[in-house]
Structure formats: structure tokens, C-alpha cells
DNA sequence: AACGCGTACAACCGCCAAACG
DNA sequence: CCGTTTGGCGGTTGTACGCGT
């Protein structure tokens, strides 16, 4: 038969560890090591589950652990690795001596995610939101794109009003570089200077993104309704139309010479330095690392993100050396 | 001073693959 | 080979703390 249970669940204590418990566990492990977690609480005189002891040791008590703030360099490594590996916290933590997967995960969820969002970067895909909007827009009919654009602009307006009325705000003109927002292409194809907006608190886009999602759902629903009528051929852009006029949404842009993407949203929004020609086609590249270790699309994305960070912000200025993890 | 809210982080939960008997 | 436990992992929850009103 199998093994005996790791602990009697009834007599097991839960919740915060006391300094006394920490001391008991630490001194027991110092003497006997961590060979059998089932026996450790029993032998150390602890009313804890072996699993709880293991977590306490690996996440907090281990002498080689680093406590305290993450450095800029550590944050950069996390962001870069996350862009390639996703939520593989243990692999990411393995590249950061003294940090546990729990540390990295917590730091990501509480700080880095918001930091990226505040910079206009989607923390899941590590692409600029404008880029994602462009990708979404390529799948929609222009009337629905207009709807989506309206929803997005409404969100931005709300955000600005919120900032102007609730928080100290410092707006200054800058040369057109990527920071919190990408330079916008005007109707005549020229770029507008971006605004460098700083406030006491970073702009948190969580709510904004939710609003955009709602707008998008609306657009998709309308798109489905629209698709049920024969007239939906009107928005088929495959015949090369690159200008037009829809209620509430004007655009007139030169052709970029890409097949299958006549989306005005794509062309107007995805023009920052992070968008390559391929990007402008709104392609999505789920494959991150190939078996030969050749540079994958994911790595290119990671490099794009990294290079974008380095343009205007020392914090994210990570050297473009190879990733430490041999898997990558 | 009291309260509410947001943040940071410790701890727990559930799942899965590997190991064990 | 099979049933069970262990260890590891990622997601989620709980809670202490700080700050603003």
C-alpha cells in the first residue's frame, strides 16, 4: 500500500507562524536537515502540517534568502523573463539568487503588473495596449472599430478627468518618445508629441481596461448582429481600401502596403517605435521558444519590450545580454 | 481618534507528477 | 502495476500595516 498520511489534519495549527515556532523549525532543520517533511513537525515539536513547515522554511526561514526590496536589476530580470516564460515563477525565481517563487509572484502581482499597466503595456502579453487594440480592431468591422475607439477614448477622458480633479498632475511636453503613451498619428499622418504625465500615484489602468473590455464586448455583439446581414461585405477591406468615413470616426491614411490589414485603428495606433512591419499586420505570435533555441517571436517581443523601456526610463534599461536560463 | 481603503506579503489551497510501498 | 503520499508549483485568500479622510 501507499505511504502513511503526512499529518493528522485535526491537530494541525494554521495561520501565522510565531517566532517560537520559527525557532523550533530552524534549529531542528539545522541539526537534521530537510529530509522528511512529514516527520519534521512531529520531531520538532510543532503542531503543523509538514507541508506548512516546508513552505515556511523555503519561503521565509532559509538562511540564504534575501529579504527586503527588489532592486531595479531584479525587477528588470523578472519582467524580461516573464515576457518569455509567463507565470513560471519557480523558473524565474531560479534566476534571482535569494528570491523564492512566492516572492517573485507577490512582487509581480502587487507592483510590476501595475507598473507595466501604468506604462501602457499589457502585463500578460508585454505588448503596448495600443498594439493589442490594433490586433483586436483588425478582426472587427470599421463601424465596430469606431465603437471600440469611442469606448477607449471615453475611458481616457475619464482617466484624465480623474487625474485632473483628484490628483496633483504635472504635464509637460516632450519629444515624441514612448513613455506612458505612444505618439499619436494625426489624420494627416504627422505625429503629435506625447505627454509625459507624472502624478503622485502611477496611473492604474485596471479599471480603464475593464471599460475597454466592455466596449469591446459591445462591439463584438454588434459585429455578430452585423455579420448576420448581407451588407457586411461593406467593411471587407481586403480589396485595399485604406481610407473611409464611418459615423463618428474619420480616417485617411496612406497604405502601408500590407495585405489583409486595412484597419484604420491598426494604422493610426500602431505606429510607435515598438511596432515592426509584422506587428502592424496585427499578427499574434504565441510560440515563445523553439526546440533549437533559435530566437523566437517571444524573445523578439521581449527585446522589443526591453528596448522600449530603455528609451526613456533608466529603471528598465536592461543590458541586452542573453537570458540566464538555459531553457530560454 | 476612528474609520475606511489600498497595499504588501505570508500562508493556504488544489492540482499534478514523481516516488514509494 | 496500482493506490497512496510527497514535494513542487501556481493561484488565491487572509491579514497586518500605513495612509488619507
Amino acid at each position: 500500500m501507499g505511504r502513511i498520511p503526512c499529518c493528522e489534519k485535526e491537530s494541525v495549527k494554521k495561520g501565522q507562524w510565531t517566532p517560537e515556532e520559527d525557532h523550533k523549525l530552524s534549529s531542528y532543520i539545522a541539526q537534521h536537515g530537510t529530509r522528511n517533511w512529514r516527520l519534521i513537525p512531529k520531531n520538532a515539536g510543532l503542531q503543523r502540517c509538514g507541508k506548512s513547515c516546508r513552505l515556511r522554511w523555503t519561503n521565509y526561514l532559509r538562511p540564504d534568502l534575501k529579504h527586503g526590496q527588489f532592486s531595479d536589476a531584479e525587477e528588470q530580470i523578472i519582467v524580461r523573463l516573464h515576457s518569455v516564460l509567463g507565470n513560471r515563477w519557480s523558473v524565474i525565481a531560479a534566476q534571482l539568487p535569494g528570491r523564492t517563487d512566492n516572492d517573485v509572484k507577490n512582487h509581480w502581482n502587487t507592483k510590476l503588473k501595475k507598473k507595466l499597466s501604468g506604462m501602457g503595456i499589457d502585463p500578460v502579453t508585454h505588448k503596448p495596449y495600443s498594439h493589442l487594440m490594433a490586433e483586436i480592431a483588425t478582426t472587427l468591422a470599421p463601424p465596430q472599430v469606431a465603437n471600440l475607439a469611442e469606448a477607449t477614448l471615453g475611458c481616457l477622458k475619464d482617466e484624465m478627468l480623474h487625474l485632473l480633479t483628484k490628483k496633483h498632475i504635472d504635464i509637460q511636453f516632450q519629444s515624441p518618445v514612448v513613455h506612458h503613451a505612444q505618439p499619436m498619428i494625426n489624420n494627416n499622418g504627422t505625429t503629435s508629441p506625447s505627454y509625459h504625465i507624472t502624478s503622485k500615484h502611477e496611473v492604474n489602468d485596471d479599471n480603464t481596461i475593464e471599460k475597454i473590455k466592455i466596449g469591446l464586448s459591445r462591439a463584438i455583439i454588434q459585429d455578430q448582429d452585423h455579420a448576420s446581414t448581407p451588407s457586411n461585405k461593406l467593411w471587407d477591406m481586403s480589396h485595399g481600401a485604406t481610407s473611409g468615413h464611418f459615423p463618428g470616426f474619420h480616417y485617411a491614411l496612406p497604405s502601408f502596403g500590407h495585405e489583409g490589414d486595412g484597419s484604420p485603428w491598426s494604422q493610426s495606433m500602431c505606429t510607435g517605435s515598438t511596432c515592426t512591419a509584422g506587428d502592424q499586420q496585427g499578427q499574434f505570435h504565441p510560440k515563445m521558444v523553439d526546440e533549437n533555441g533559435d530566437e523566437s517571436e517571444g524573445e523578439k517581443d521581449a527585446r522589443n519590450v526591453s528596448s522600449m523601456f530603455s528609451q526613456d526610463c533608466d529603471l528598465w534599461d536592461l543590458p541586452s545580454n542573453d537570458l540566464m536560463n538555459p531553457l530560454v
Side-chain angles (χ1 to χ4, degrees):
Chain A
M1 289 286 275
R3 298 180 179 181
I4 53 177
C6 70
C7 54
E8 292 84 25
K9 303 226 177 207
E10 304 80 37
S11 61
V12 160
K13 188 186 164 193
K14 285 186 178 183
Q16 295 285 110
W17 280 65
T18 63
E20 191 192 351
E21 287 178 311
D22 283 346
H23 182 256
K24 278 184 180 175
L25 182 59
S26 296
S27 40
Y28 180 86
I29 289 172
Q31 277 189 299
H32 302 95
T34 59
R35 222 172 303 168
N36 190 333
W37 285 111
R38 183 177 58 84
L39 294 175
I40 284 174
K42 195 179 168 189
N43 294 344
L46 290 162
Q47 304 278 70
R48 294 276 183 174
C49 176
K51 192 171 181 174
S52 178
C53 291
R54 184 176 56 81
L55 281 172
R56 183 64 179 170
W57 174 255
T58 54
N59 288 335
Y60 194 80
L61 295 174
R62 253 168 52 200
D64 59 324
L65 288 183
K66 229 190 261 181
H67 296 285
Q69 299 253 315
F70 278 73
S71 67
D72 288 350
E74 285 176 315
E75 289 190 341
Q76 288 160 7
I77 290 168
I78 293 169
V79 170
R80 279 199 75 194
L81 289 176
H82 186 272
S83 72
V84 179
L85 299 166
N87 294 359
R88 293 173 67 186
W89 304 118
S90 59
V91 180
I92 296 171
Q95 309 305 319
L96 299 167
R99 301 294 188 183
T100 68
D101 54 348
N102 213 32
D103 283 338
V104 174
K105 181 172 59 184
N106 281 331
H107 192 65
W108 173 264
N109 285 327
T110 57
K111 285 191 178 172
L112 294 181
K113 241 163 87 173
K114 290 171 189 168
K115 194 177 266 185
L116 286 179
S117 286
M119 292 169 72
I121 296 161
D122 176 35
V124 178
T125 62
H126 292 257
K127 292 181 179 182
Y129 285 128
S130 59
H131 186 169
L132 295 175
M133 295 298 290
E135 287 175 350
I136 292 163
T138 57
T139 67
L140 297 175
Q144 281 68 53
V145 170
N147 199 355
L148 177 59
E150 196 184 334
T152 308
L153 290 171
C155 293
L156 293 172
K157 190 185 75 181
D158 290 349
E159 197 68 38
M160 288 303 293
L161 280 171
H162 177 71
L163 283 166
L164 289 165
T165 54
K166 296 260 174 115
K167 296 172 184 172
H168 166 73
I169 188 164
D170 173 26
I171 303 177
Q172 42 185 280
F173 283 98
Q174 289 206 328
S175 58
V177 294
V178 176
H179 193 86
H180 287 163
Q182 292 197 43
M184 297 289 291
I185 294 281
N186 299 327
N187 282 350
N188 61 8
T190 60
T191 55
S192 301
S194 67
Y195 295 94
H196 180 191
I197 301 169
T198 56
S199 68
K200 266 181 94 175
H201 307 281
E202 284 188 323
V203 179
N204 186 337
D205 287 2
D206 288 355
N207 192 33
T208 304
I209 298 313
E210 280 310 308
K211 290 182 195 170
I212 292 172
K213 281 179 185 169
I214 291 165
L216 179 60
S217 319
R218 239 176 73 199
I220 289 169
I221 288 164
Q222 289 190 12
D223 188 33
Q224 286 167 347
D225 293 345
H226 201 265
S228 63
T229 65
S231 60
N232 66 346
K233 290 291 173 194
L234 282 172
W235 50 265
D236 181 0
M237 306 298 271
S238 60
H239 43 274
T242 53
S243 67
H245 178 210
F246 296 96
F249 192 73
H250 286 267
Y251 66 94
L253 289 165
S255 169
F256 283 85
H258 299 310
E259 280 187 18
D261 181 13
S263 160
W265 185 257
S266 163
Q267 290 175 356
S268 64
M269 294 295 283
C270 188
T271 51
S273 60
T274 58
C275 290
T276 63
D279 289 331
Q280 285 172 350
Q281 292 180 17
Q283 294 170 346
F284 183 64
H285 313 291
K287 190 182 177 188
M288 293 298 183
V289 183
D290 68 21
E291 289 170 356
N292 302 324
D294 293 331
E295 186 182 50
S296 65
E297 298 299 343
E299 264 191 297
K300 287 173 190 169
D301 287 345
R303 189 161 305 157
N304 281 344
V305 171
S306 178
S307 65
M308 177 168 60
F309 293 163
S310 65
Q311 285 190 29
D312 195 35
C313 188
D314 289 339
L315 174 66
W316 302 99
D317 187 16
L318 188 72
S320 59
N321 56 331
D322 289 332
L323 297 170
M324 281 181 278
N325 189 327
L327 288 169
V328 177

